[in-house]
Amino acid sequence: MENQAKRLNFIDIAKGIGIILVVLGHSLAYECHNRLFFMIYSFHMPLFFFLSGFVFKSKDSASYFSGKVKTLLVPLVCFQALNIFTYDILLFLGLEENHSIIAFGGFWFLGTLLFVSCLYYILSEKVFSNFKHSNIVILLSAALTMTFGLTYAQGISDQSNQIIATSFVAYSFYAVGHICSTPQKLMSLVLSNSKIFRLLATIIGLLLFALLAYLVGFTDRNVDMNTSRYGDSFFFILNALVGIFATMFICIGFFKNRILEFFGKNSLMIFLIHIPLWRFFFFVCEKNLNLHSKFGLSICVFAICITLSSIFAELIGKYFPWLTGKIKFNK
């Protein structure tokens, strides 16, 4: 039971870092395309698919699929309805462009995660479990789907095909995440709370983030899984993995942090809530605040969105728990 709690802290911290980067990345997206923006977009969504795979647990099919309905499908339907409503208002006010409603809000992410997690469960139960060295087979499947997804993404522009390409790419990170959670000796070391190991992990994480800052200089466009923009395939994969493992090492170093754990436990709600807020408050701040720095404007929007999203997420968790979609970690 103690190890279970520690592992929950470990994952929540990683998700907390991830959701902060998501909100910050969106706040920078309109005007401030600096190196920080390119760093965040190079790995922030692959990180969430990786973490989802990391906590994958085999169980009976009825429990698994009913759990996915509760934790992913219900929030997807409810919040997409809210997103469509706010999108129509912003469009009417002239604050939003006319584009595919599928791309708006968290629909693409939740829909892709729902599809990928169910597909991985079926493959895990029907295919991977039949092999003695199943991790090798899983890794091969990740390599194949990544290759197909990146190849298929080239030259497509319509949203339906972009979602197909994104699903294959997302599956790869999900599969790698599950593989990384399986070595028991490594997990025991991670959960041991050794101060030396935590310090070493923090140093490695910081060095990896420094490496990522250097590597993004070799890309000429931002990564966006929503629209299947990956740029150079080699650097996309490399940067995403460097960013993911940098985050994982950093969260091992933190080990326990109540603020990051709060963001992690409420990451799904914050993700869904902040999107209409970010779009609205960007235009509000731009028109009403005399900020000459685009970066300053983005930071202001980030502060407002992360604060309000956290408050609303807490209220929803308290009064509408069926909407939270929180993933339960079971042994």
Side-chain angles (χ1 to χ4, degrees), residues 127-139:
V127 179
F128 303 148
S129 60
N130 296 324
F131 292 89
K132 181 179 180 180
H133 301 288
S134 59
N135 280 353
I136 296 177
V137 179
I138 295 172
L139 191 60

Side-chain angles (χ1 to χ4, degrees), residues 43-99:
F43 77 95
H44 70 330
M45 296 317 298
L47 172 66
F48 277 101
F49 290 110
F50 175 92
L51 291 173
S52 298
F54 196 92
V55 299
F56 171 83
K57 295 293 182 184
S58 180
K59 58 178 70 173
D60 65 275
S61 57
S63 298
Y64 186 85
F65 290 114
S66 63
K68 292 305 172 187
V69 169
K70 181 176 66 174
T71 60
L72 293 177
L73 186 59
V74 171
L76 185 155
V77 173
C78 293
F79 279 91
Q80 185 62 7
L82 175 62
N83 280 328
I84 293 174
F85 176 73
T86 56
Y87 169 80
D88 288 338
I89 292 176
L90 293 175
L91 187 64
F92 176 78
L93 296 175
L95 302 179
E96 181 58 73
E97 297 178 358
N98 191 4
H99 56 64

Side-chain angles (χ1 to χ4, degrees), residues 130-187:
N130 296 324
F131 292 89
K132 181 179 180 180
H133 301 288
S134 59
N135 280 353
I136 296 177
V137 179
I138 295 172
L139 191 60
L140 287 174
S141 74
L144 289 173
T145 53
M146 178 66 77
T147 301
F148 179 83
L150 294 179
T151 303
Y152 188 69
Q154 297 176 3
I156 60 174
S157 57
D158 58 295
Q159 189 70 37
S160 58
N161 279 311
Q162 288 169 352
I163 289 179
I164 293 173
T166 295
S167 297
F168 280 98
V169 174
Y171 170 90
S172 301
F173 291 112
Y174 191 99
V176 172
H178 183 223
I179 291 173
C180 290
S181 69
T182 54
Q184 294 301 314
K185 290 184 179 180
L186 178 60
M187 287 308 304

